[in-house]
């Protein structure tokens, strides 16, 4: 089968399309024919070699994907060959024609969700759910600033938050991104590259924001604390650098700043997340936005774009 293989950590160009042996299916494993693989920023951090938990080389990147069950081990009872599924991880990596998974990493994909959309489900929707509900404990009627709403996690957060009855303020750095955020149901949309965006936010929520989901904390954390209401909560989802700030800002508002890494979720929390995602996909209020499809061999280009270009939903790779 064909798969992207990384033989040394480094720039996106270290990812090469190779012919590799088909994995053998163990007793509680599922072999999935990948129809689309989701590209996440974390895939680029791992490939570059600086991410704390690194796979041993060589490896095939990719955590998200969707496809059709090809074969099952003798102890697998939730799936049969031919089932449509999305993945919450795999043993062999999703940037490939097939991925070998533990049964627990495989989930039924409803008919109303395409494979390309299914490839954009797990990391974005699980992250947004954990941030909003397991960390910030969002409740109906509260306001949420989704700071970076045009990408995978941001779009997912808009959908979760609107369904839960929150007032949503989203930001994006491009005109197209802002149109997308508005079309997804955000009540207000601002441009995070404009110096004046925080005044604009306070014009529409003068009492201050209850919850901030922050995709780039090293840039925005100080302004977030200015925008926050008393007892507000900030969830740091993404950060790509450091900053110097006065902790007094947290004190004066009785604010709470949560850090989160999806991979720290307990199995109990993860079960809650997966159940909520399956329910939301079936009911139709969760639907990933696929901004770009690229052939598998262009994985290197997808890694450049997910970091360097303005976001517009998900980038997916098609084997
Ligand atoms: P993505 O699809 O590439 O989207 C990136 C988002 O960040 C876009 O909405 C982008 O907006 C926005 N952004 C860029 N500059 C910004 C700024 N100055 N202020 C606010 N937002 C800004 O990535 P993603 O999958 O949504 O992930 C978002 C971040 O969360 C990444 O850093 C990722 O590594 C991280 N993440 C963390 C976890 C976790 O467990 N902690 C899980 C998943 C993702 P424009 O492009 O429109 O400017």
């Amino acid at each position: 089968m064909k798969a992207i293989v990384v033989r040394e950590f480094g720039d996106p160009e270290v990812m090469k399309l190779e012919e590799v042996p088909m994995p053998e299916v163990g007793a509680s494993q599922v072999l999935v024919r990948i129809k689309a693989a989701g590209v996440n920023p974390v895939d680029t951090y791992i490939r570059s070699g600086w991410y704390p938990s690194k796979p041993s080389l060589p490896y095939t990147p990719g955590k998200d994907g969707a496809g059709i069950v090809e074969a099952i081990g003798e102890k697998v009872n939730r799936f049969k060959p031919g089932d449509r599924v999305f993945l919450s991880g795999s043993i062999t990596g999703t940037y490939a024609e097939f991925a070998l998974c533990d049964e627990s990493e495989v989930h039924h994909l409803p008919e109303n969700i395409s494979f390309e959309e299914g490839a954009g489900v797990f990391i974005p929707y699980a992250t947004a759910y954990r941030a909003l509900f397991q960390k910030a404990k969002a409740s109906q009627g509260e306001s949420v600033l989704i700071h970076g709403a045009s990408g995978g996690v941001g779009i997912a957060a808009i959908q979760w938050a609107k369904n839960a009855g929150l007032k949503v303020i989203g930001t994006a750095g491009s005109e197209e991104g802002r149109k997308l955020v508005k079309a997804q149901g955000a009540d207000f949309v601002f441009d995070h590259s404009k110096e004046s965006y925080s005044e604009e936010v306070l014009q529409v929520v003068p009492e201050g924001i209850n919850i901030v989901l922050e995709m780039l904390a090293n840039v925005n954390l100080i302004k977030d604390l200015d925008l926050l209401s008393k007892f507000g909560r900030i969830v740091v989802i993404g950060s790509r650098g450091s900053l110097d700030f006065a902790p007094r800002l947290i004190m004066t508002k009785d604010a709470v700043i949560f850090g989160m890494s999806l991979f720290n979720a307990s199995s109990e929390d993860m079960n809650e997340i997966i159940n909520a995602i399956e329910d939301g996909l079936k009911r139709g209020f969760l639907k990933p936005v696929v901004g770009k499809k690229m052939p598998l061999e262009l994985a290197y280009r997808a890694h450049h774009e997910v970091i360097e270009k303005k976001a517009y939903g998900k980038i997916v790779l098609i084997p």
Side-chain angles (χ1 to χ4, degrees):
M1 68 166 188
K2 289 196 169 48
I4 294 292
V5 178
V6 172
R7 296 190 173 277
E8 54 175 336
F9 295 112
D11 291 339
E13 287 68 22
V14 298
M15 293 187 291
K16 308 273 190 226
L17 191 67
E18 293 189 13
E19 193 64 38
V20 301
M22 276 289 273
E24 280 181 25
V25 188
S28 55
Q29 295 174 344
V30 178
L31 183 68
V32 176
R33 179 186 287 271
I34 297 292
K35 303 288 266 182
V39 174
N40 287 292
V42 70
D43 302 342
T44 74
Y45 313 151
I46 294 169
R47 183 222 67 235
S48 69
W50 68 257
Y51 199 68
S53 69
K54 281 191 273 293
S56 47
L57 294 168
Y59 80 100
T60 291
K63 295 184 179 295
D64 282 354
I68 297 171
V69 172
E70 179 79 7
I72 56 170
E74 66 267 18
K75 287 197 183 149
V76 169
N77 48 34
R78 288 195 301 123
F79 301 97
K80 57 178 185 331
D83 284 352
R84 304 171 86 250
V85 294
F86 72 95
L87 307 181
S88 58
S90 72
I91 298 161
T92 55
T94 59
Y95 290 15
E97 285 182 308
F98 294 89
L100 184 66
C101 306
D102 189 81
E103 187 180 6
S104 62
E105 296 168 320
V106 184
H107 315 280
H108 289 285
L109 184 70
E111 290 292 335
N112 58 321
I113 305 291
S114 70
F115 292 118
E116 286 93 359
E117 291 165 345
V121 167
F122 178 66
I123 289 190
Y125 285 83
T127 302
Y129 181 94
R130 184 160 176 77
L132 265 177
F133 303 118
Q134 293 182 335
K135 294 291 172 182
K137 309 272 186 230
S139 59
Q140 188 176 9
E142 288 194 302
S143 56
V144 58
L145 171 63
I146 302 172
H147 218 337
S150 48
V153 178
I155 298 285
I158 299 172
Q159 295 175 3
W160 282 122
K162 285 313 296 178
N163 183 64
L166 280 91
K167 182 192 271 193
V168 173
I169 297 96
T171 73
S174 71
E175 186 60 37
E176 278 179 310
R178 287 190 291 280
K179 277 191 190 146
L180 174 63
V181 171
K182 188 78 186 146
Q184 286 296 308
D187 299 285
F188 303 97
V189 186
F190 300 107
D191 180 353
H192 50 231
S193 65
K194 251 170 78 178
E195 203 40 52
S196 61
Y197 80 81
S198 41
E199 285 122 60
E200 292 168 345
V201 170
L202 285 177
Q203 272 169 18
V204 298
V205 190
E207 66 281 15
I209 297 278
N210 300 126
I211 298 165
V212 180
L213 301 192
E214 184 49 73
M215 307 302 160
L216 203 57
N218 56 302
V219 172
N220 298 321
L221 195 61
I222 296 171
K223 277 193 173 179
D224 292 347
L225 284 158
D226 287 340
L227 291 174
L228 210 61
S229 66
K230 214 180 255 183
F231 310 115
R233 294 90 79 200
I234 297 172
V235 187
V236 174
I237 298 175
S239 189
R240 293 181 183 165
S242 55
L243 88 169
D244 184 13
F245 87 112
R248 191 179 172 79
L249 292 171
I250 310 172
M251 182 187 88
T252 51
K253 287 188 174 170
D254 267 47
V256 179
I257 302 177
F258 292 98
M260 70 151 277
S261 169
L262 180 60
F263 306 120
N264 291 338
S266 65
S267 54
E268 202 179 38
D269 283 353
M270 200 49 94
N271 285 341
E272 176 188 320
I273 292 170
I274 294 284
N275 288 339
I277 291 176
E278 286 179 339
D279 178 59
L281 292 174
K282 259 188 243 145
R283 287 171 50 205
F285 71 85
L286 299 183
K287 201 160 177 63
V289 172
V290 178
K292 194 172 262 189
K293 300 177 212 175
M294 299 171 99
L296 187 58
E297 61 267 31
L298 295 187
Y300 70 95
R301 198 181 288 169
H303 275 209
H304 276 294
E305 292 197 7
V306 77
I307 295 299
E308 294 158 18
K309 288 207 168 175
K310 293 291 175 198
Y312 190 92
K314 290 293 306 176
I315 301 176
V316 301
L317 296 170
I318 310 294

